[in-house]
Structures are given as C-alpha cells and as structure tokens.
Amino acid sequence: MVCSICNMNRCCTTATDAPVGLEPPHELPVCSANFDLKSMCHFSLAVRFVSCGRGGLVQFECSNPSDFRIEADGVVYAAKALQPSTLPASPLLIKATDPTTQQQWQVFDFIKPTAHSFISQDLKEIVFPSRNTDSELKRMKRDWVIPPINVPENSRGPFPQELVRIRSDHDKNRSLRYSVTGPGADQPPNGIFTIDPISGELSVNKPLDREHIPSFHLRAHAVDLNGNQVENPIDININVIDMNDNRPEFGHQIWNGTVPEGSKPGTFVMTVTAVDKDDPKTANGMLRYKILSQSPESPNPNMFTINNKTGGIITVAAGLDREKVSQYTLIIQATDTEGNPMYGLSNTATAVIRVTDVNDNAPEFTAEAFFGRVHENQVNVIVANLSVTDKDQPNTPAWNAVYKIISGDPFGKFSVPTDPTTNEGLVTVVKPLDFELNKTHLLKIEARNEVPLARGISSPRQSTATISIQVLDVNESPYFEPNPKVIRLEEGVMPETDLVPFPAKDPDQFMHQSISYSKLSDPANWLRIDPRTGRISTIAVLDRESPHVKNSYYNATFVALDNGKPAASGTGTLQIYLLDINDNAPKVFPHEVEICEKPEPNAINITALDGDLIPNAGPFAFELAHKPLDVRRNWTITRISGDYAQLSLRIGFLESGIYEIPIIITDSGNLPMSNTSYLRIKVCQCDINGDCTDQQHIRAAGLGTGAIISILLCIILLLILVLMFVVWMKRRDKERQAKQLLIDPEDDVRDNILKYDEEGGGEEDQDYDLSQLQQPDTLEPDAIKPVGIRRLDERPLHPEPQYPMRSAAPHPGDIGDFINEGLKAADNDPTAPPYDSLLVFDYEGSCSTAGSLSSLNSSSSGGDQDYDYLNDWGPRFRKLADMYGGSDD
C-alpha cells in the first residue's frame, strides 16, 4: 500500500524553521488497530525539500533509524514490520542538511495507526506485467489480460470499499504513483472509483446501480515521482453484479382482449407481458405469470388459463355465451426469480376479455301475417313495416336483418329494404300496380342476417311471414296507342283534308267515362282534332320546307281528358313524315363572285340550291337568259356535272364594275321547275396573284351591303334630327301663342285697332317744346288693367323700383336732371324692357307738326281706298274691312 503525506512546499526563513505551510504535528499512516497480525505493515513517506533558490542537494536523516529509513530522494520507508503496539510515541524528526553550508531544516511527523494504511494479504493484487529493459533488441512481453472485477450493486458499505490493489514490480527500488482514468474515475460520472496513489488500492465510493451503468472500463497508470511512465497502462473492467431490486412492470395496467362466443377449449384470446429491469440472464429478470382470479365465475371458475412464461391466455372450458356473460375480468400476476413466491418480487394487472357475438340467433318475425293497402300506379310507397326480434348484439352483422321475398312477386313489383335504425323490413312498391289486373297481392318474406348462422344452427319457422297487400282503384289517365303515331303524307296537302283517327284508351274498365280531345302543341298550326272522336284533319297546307319540320318530320301533340273525379289526362304525339314534291325552284350559288378585267382563267364555277330533295333537286340545267342581249354576247355557260356549271367570258377584257348575269336554272323534278337567278359579278383590276387591287373603284361603281346600310342609317339619323327641330319649333310657337292669350283683347293687334296717345313730332321736328313734358295728361281710370292682362311691351310683374318723382310745376332746368335720374333707375331696374325693345313713355307732348304714325284717322289714311279685299284674309281682318271698307255709318 502506498501512503502519502503532505510536502514541504514553502521556503524556510531560518535554519530551524519548519517549511512554511506545513503545520506540525504531521501524522504518518501505519497499520490500523484491526490489522491482521500475520501481515506486515510497510509504508513510504515522500519528503520533498524546497531549496528556495540555494541549489545543490540536501542530506536527509530521521530520528529513529532503527524503525525508519529515508532515501536520498526524501522517501521514508519502514525498516521493519510495525505493529500498533511498537509504534514510537514521540514524533519522528526528519532533518535536511546542506552539505556545503551545513545549514539544517527539520520537521516533526507523528506516526499513528489509520484505517487506510494496512496491507491485507486477502486483498486481490493486480501486478503490472514486467518489461525487460536489459536490451532494446529483446521483445517486450505481451500485456496481461486482467479478469474483470465483479462488484454487487446496491452495496451498503462502508465506503470507500476496497476492490483490488494495483502494484508494479518497480516499487521495490523506487517510489511510484498510481492513478486510474475513465468513466467513473476522472470522467463523468466522476468520483465513483478512486485509487490510493501510493498503495495502489482501488476503491468504490458509493453504491452502484446495474440498471443505470452495468459496467465500467478503467485504465490504471504507474509513474515515478517525476511523472515518468514506468509501466504500460492496463485495462480494468468492473462488472456490476445484478441484485433483485426491481419488480416486474406490465406494459398496461388494463389489457383488453376478445374471444368469440362458443369458442372451443384451447382458443387463443390474448397475450399479456411484463418487463423486469433486472438482468434477464439471471433469475432476477426471469418472470412467470399466473391467473389469480376470474370474474364472473360462470359457467366455470376456470374458463381461461395463461402460459406462465409467455403470458398467452387461452380458453380451457366450453360454454362461452355472450347473451349470458358478455365480459370476463382476470387478475394476472407476474413474479420474477422464475416465480419463486418466497424470494421473488411480484406485480399484477387486469385482463378484460370481451365475448364477441356470433350469429347464433336467427331473426324471428313478431307476427305470422302482415297487411297493407296501396293505390294503384303509386311507386316508392311503403306498404307495411315488418318487425323482427334477434337476441344477438344489436347493430352488428349478426343482428342486422336482411329481408327477401321468396314467393308472390314474379314481376318484381315489390322490395323490402331494411330500416337501419329499427331493423324493420319496409315493404315498398317499386313498380306500378294495376287494379284492373290484380286487386290483391300475397307475398311470403324471409328474414335473415347479414352473416350466415353459426355452424349447427338452423333458421326457425318464425323467420318467415306472409303479407297481404290490397290494391285500391283510382281514376287513371287515358293513353294513346301507339305513342307516337307515325303517318306518311306528301307535302302540299290542302286544308280540310281528313288525315287519321287518333283515339285514346281509358284503362279504367270498371268506370264508365267519356274522353274529350284537344290540341296541346301544333307549331305551324296545320292540324285540328275532333274533340269527341279524336280524328285529325288539316287546316292549312303542309309544307316540308317549313322551319317547323325537322328531317321531314312534323310533330304535333294532343291531349285526351276523361270526365272522372278528379279528371285525368294523357298526351299523344302524332308524327307526320312529309314526302317531298317539286315545289321549290333552284337558285344560283354563290350569289356573288369576283373576277379580274383580264381573267386567267376566265371561268367561274357555279352550282344551284334547291329546297327540295332528290329527285326533285339536281341534276340541274343551266342556261343564260336571252335578255339583255349583251349577256350571251359577252358570256357563255357550260355544264360541268349534274350540279355544277362553268360561266366563262367570251371576250378577253371586261371593264371594271359590277355586272348581274341572269341565269336560268331548271331542276330534275317530275314536273321540272325553272327559275331565273342573277349572279352578281364584280370585275376588278388584279395583281399578279389574281387579287383585286381597285376595291375603291369597285365600290364607286356599286356599293356593298355594308355601305348601303351605313347610308340608310345616316339618312334615318338626319330625318330624326329634322323631326326633332320641327317639333321644337312647333312647341316654341305654342308657347308664344299661350303668352299672347294673356293679352287684353282690346290690345290684341290681330282683332283690334289700338289707340295710342299723341307722339309729337317726327324725325324732322328738332324744336321740342319741353313744357309739354312738364304737363302730362292725367292717367285715365279705365286705363288701369286687371292683373294678368298685359301688353307685350309692358314690364314684367315684379316689384317696381323707386323712380324719382317730379314736382307739380318744376323748373324747366330740372327736366334734364329728371331724365338722367330716370335713366339710371331704368338701368338698374331688372323689370325694365331690353334696350332694343319698344319703350313706353307716359307723355310725349301734343300739337306736333308731324302726324301720328299710329293714328288711323290721319290725313294719309286714304279714306277713298277700297278695303273690301280684307274680307278675303280671314275672320281676323273682317273687323278692319267693316271699319274702313263699309259705308259712312
């Protein structure tokens, strides 16, 4: 065992001072009091001298050389076997002397027994394999294989607990230091294993847990005091020995399984498993299973057994019946140590075994006979509900009923689907029933399950039942037969032609009813039906080329209505296949073509269109009309085939323009029909590719359809604008006439002679008498007109502005000021007439040298003039004619 003590690691201040940092007394470990008397106690103590910069070597000596010796390197060894009773009581004095200066240093160390300093002969020793160092040419020995060290887990101590001693052969002649590395020593988890660096004892410091770390791999090292490796590292494997410290654990606390009812003994049910964290290679991890209890214990307390090694549960007894016991509960126990009840650890879990249903009960009808009623011609109607009972588990294939009609329905007019909620059979009519054919239907129905019955079980008599269905009579619609009815006629049938009877039949044999007919659809309004007999006749000519005829067929629909309560009706279609006759003349196609002025080639291919069918259409005969004469002179037509011809130009050049060529086309009908069609030819200048290049010139010669339409639209728009202008003018005239109606009849110039006041002199009268302006005549009372009757030249009816007032006898010089003030007031008056209108003044003076222009009694009126011609101007001028053209009276 290698022991260590503290080193002197600080310089001394005097020759007698102890090294600084070393607190005496120091204890040297030796054998403990409980050592084996037969063993020998050896130890070594390393004393390191710090020279403090003095240099050179020191000499060591101890105070008890008989028991201890100290080497030159400062290692203290026991010189003999020591026992606690022979240990010196006084401390061991160690001196260090400098041979050059004779300077000394000393330290006291106490020696007493400790628990870590004995060397037991029973402790396993691991010796480093020796290496031959005599010659470098000799091969080194192969490293030893160290057997693993087994340490039981969960040890209670005391700790540290010695495991093994590591030793090198080189520790006999020099001091060595031992260490270990690896996980558990100097790597995580650190500190589990330690080694005494001097004695080499490897110890464990705490309990181990195999379930956490099952083994450790360490490496042991041996070095001298200078840290030089003296041995190769050796591997030390430490195995943690398993202890039975874990109970079995089930994967689930409750295990669920199923088994069909009626299963035979030996039927596998389920497997329950448990795990044990202990070593499965030892008895600690070997489990055994057994069933502790079964609930319920019916019909046998031991219905199941379990494989004690695998945990598989199987049946061992017959009699599983879901309708009696639907579920079993088993308590399962797992015990380690191979099921040893005394030393093994146990745990329990619950196994719930559900007995699944099998089809061991057939459905049974609740009654032997069922009844139903339904009106004829009704479909998708439920006639009756068939109820059954089944002891199997509801809503399972062994419980769901399937119904089948086994007799009484040869034509498949009924079906019996299953109600998914109630499991009842719904007897349904899927095809119309006819009261006149069968008044009652008797069906035999069988009930089964979705899955077959279990082996050995047969269907009882109650799984079949009968149902009687009564059919009720209703008023059925009349029907036409055949429908549609097809007839063949030549087109051109004249009106009032009797075509064909189209009567309807009444399916109600037991009802005496009459039928009336009417027309429902007749697109061209060609037919008529007799309301009592149903005979059809024409009221117009039948034309195959009518747009209402599709593929030579004309369809008309008629209605037949009986007098039942309620009345019923049916429809029938008459299809008339119209045979073609030659009643349509052919027409040229295309209607318009283009050619060049110098056509190369100078021929145009044409054909004909005929609304009739072959043989009343092609082949066609083409011929140019005789008029105009230049047609045959410039053109020629040649027949290519029965339907095509070629129009050619006789001359080498034709001036640009539009030409209409009359062509006589005759079809091949039995009575051929001819027609003169005009082919419109546009002649134009062409390029080298034969395309027209003078389109504008051609358009000038003849306008196309688009241009004509554009011109017509412009003309219509212009006419609309003119019409709107005329309407606006008329409306304006009416507004003027309405305003004139508000004028006083006496002021109306159309029927009255207006009387104006004297206006004074004319344009040549320059000498105005201003005194006349100062003396206006007084306003006559009858000159005041009622509200609403105004002259055209009067002011509007607005509040009058404040014009200046003149005095009764103003100064003549005030006239100019008065006129200026009146002018300003008139300029600011919104009711005043425009400046270019006729202004009305109050008084202009009398005794003017010029005659009044408005006076009809002036000398220039011409009394001897004949005014009778005014009577011819209308009633408005007759008054003037009477005033001036009559007698003096």
Coordinates of all heavy atoms in Angstrom, one line a residue, residues 38 165 212 226 237 366 390 416 435 480 513 524 559 595 634 732 754:
K38 N -0.7 -11.4 11.2 CA 0.3 -12.1 10.3 C 0.8 -11.3 9.2 O 1.7 -11.6 8.5 CB -0.3 -13.4 9.8 CG -0.7 -14.4 10.9 CD -1.3 -15.6 10.3 CE -1.7 -16.6 11.3 NZ -2.3 -17.8 10.8
R165 N -5.9 -4.2 -5.4 CA -4.7 -3.4 -5.3 C -3.8 -3.5 -6.6 O -3.6 -4.6 -7.1 CB -3.8 -3.9 -4.1 CG -2.5 -3.1 -3.9 CD -2.0 -3.3 -2.5 NE -1.8 -4.7 -2.2 CZ -0.6 -5.3 -2.4 NH1 0.4 -4.7 -2.9 NH2 -0.5 -6.6 -2.1
H212 N -28.5 1.4 -14.2 CA -28.1 2.6 -14.7 C -26.8 2.5 -15.5 O -26.7 2.9 -16.7 CB -27.9 3.6 -13.5 CG -27.4 5.0 -14.0 ND1 -28.1 5.7 -14.9 CD2 -26.3 5.7 -13.6 CE1 -27.5 6.9 -15.1 NE2 -26.4 6.9 -14.3
N226 N 8.7 11.8 -10.7 CA 8.8 12.9 -11.7 C 7.7 12.8 -12.8 O 7.8 13.6 -13.8 CB 10.2 12.8 -12.4 CG 11.3 13.1 -11.4 OD1 11.1 13.9 -10.5 ND2 12.4 12.4 -11.5
N237 N -11.7 -3.9 -16.1 CA -13.2 -3.9 -16.3 C -13.9 -4.3 -15.0 O -13.5 -5.3 -14.4 CB -13.5 -5.0 -17.4 CG -13.0 -4.6 -18.8 OD1 -13.0 -3.4 -19.1 ND2 -12.4 -5.5 -19.5
T366 N -92.3 -10.9 -35.5 CA -93.2 -10.7 -34.3 C -94.6 -11.2 -34.6 O -95.4 -11.3 -33.7 CB -93.2 -9.2 -33.9 OG1 -93.7 -8.4 -35.0 CG2 -91.8 -8.7 -33.5
D390 N -84.2 -10.2 -32.5 CA -82.9 -11.0 -32.7 C -82.1 -10.8 -31.4 O -81.9 -9.7 -30.9 CB -82.1 -10.5 -33.8 CG -81.0 -11.5 -34.3 OD1 -80.4 -12.1 -33.4 OD2 -80.8 -11.7 -35.5
V416 N -88.1 -5.1 -50.2 CA -88.2 -5.0 -48.8 C -86.8 -4.5 -48.2 O -86.0 -5.4 -47.8 CB -88.6 -6.3 -48.1 CG1 -88.9 -6.1 -46.6 CG2 -89.9 -6.9 -48.8
F435 N -105.0 -2.1 -60.7 CA -106.2 -2.7 -60.0 C -107.0 -3.6 -60.9 O -107.6 -4.6 -60.5 CB -107.0 -1.5 -59.5 CG -108.4 -1.9 -59.0 CD1 -108.5 -2.4 -57.7 CD2 -109.5 -1.9 -59.7 CE1 -109.7 -2.8 -57.1 CE2 -110.7 -2.2 -59.2 CZ -110.8 -2.7 -57.9
F480 N -102.7 7.1 -75.3 CA -102.7 6.9 -76.8 C -101.8 5.7 -77.1 O -100.8 5.5 -76.6 CB -102.2 8.1 -77.5 CG -103.1 9.3 -77.4 CD1 -103.0 10.2 -76.3 CD2 -104.1 9.6 -78.4 CE1 -103.8 11.3 -76.2 CE2 -104.9 10.7 -78.3 CZ -104.8 11.5 -77.2
Q513 N -116.7 6.2 -68.5 CA -116.3 7.6 -68.6 C -116.1 7.9 -70.1 O -115.9 7.0 -70.9 CB -114.9 7.8 -67.9 CG -114.9 7.5 -66.4 CD -113.6 7.7 -65.8 OE1 -113.5 8.2 -64.7 NE2 -112.5 7.4 -66.5
A524 N -96.9 24.8 -86.3 CA -97.3 25.6 -87.5 C -98.8 25.8 -87.7 O -99.2 26.4 -88.6 CB -96.8 24.8 -88.8
V559 N -104.1 16.1 -76.4 CA -104.5 15.8 -75.1 C -105.8 15.0 -75.1 O -106.7 15.5 -75.7 CB -104.5 17.0 -74.2 CG1 -104.9 16.7 -72.8 CG2 -103.2 17.7 -74.2
I595 N -64.0 38.6 -110.4 CA -63.1 38.2 -111.4 C -62.2 39.4 -111.8 O -62.6 40.5 -111.5 CB -63.8 37.6 -112.7 CG1 -64.7 38.6 -113.4 CG2 -64.6 36.3 -112.3 CD1 -65.2 38.2 -114.7
N634 N -71.3 38.4 -124.3 CA -70.1 38.5 -123.5 C -69.8 37.2 -122.7 O -68.7 37.0 -122.3 CB -70.2 39.7 -122.5 CG -70.2 41.0 -123.3 OD1 -69.8 41.1 -124.4 ND2 -70.8 42.0 -122.6
R732 N -92.3 75.8 -79.6 CA -91.9 77.2 -79.3 C -93.1 78.1 -79.7 O -93.4 79.1 -79.0 CB -90.6 77.6 -80.0 CG -90.2 79.0 -79.7 CD -88.9 79.3 -80.4 NE -88.4 80.6 -80.2 CZ -87.3 81.2 -80.7 NH1 -86.6 80.4 -81.6 NH2 -87.0 82.4 -80.5
L754 N -105.5 99.5 -82.1 CA -105.0 100.1 -80.8 C -105.0 101.6 -80.9 O -104.8 102.2 -82.0 CB -103.6 99.6 -80.6 CG -103.5 98.1 -80.5 CD1 -102.0 97.7 -80.2 CD2 -104.4 97.5 -79.4

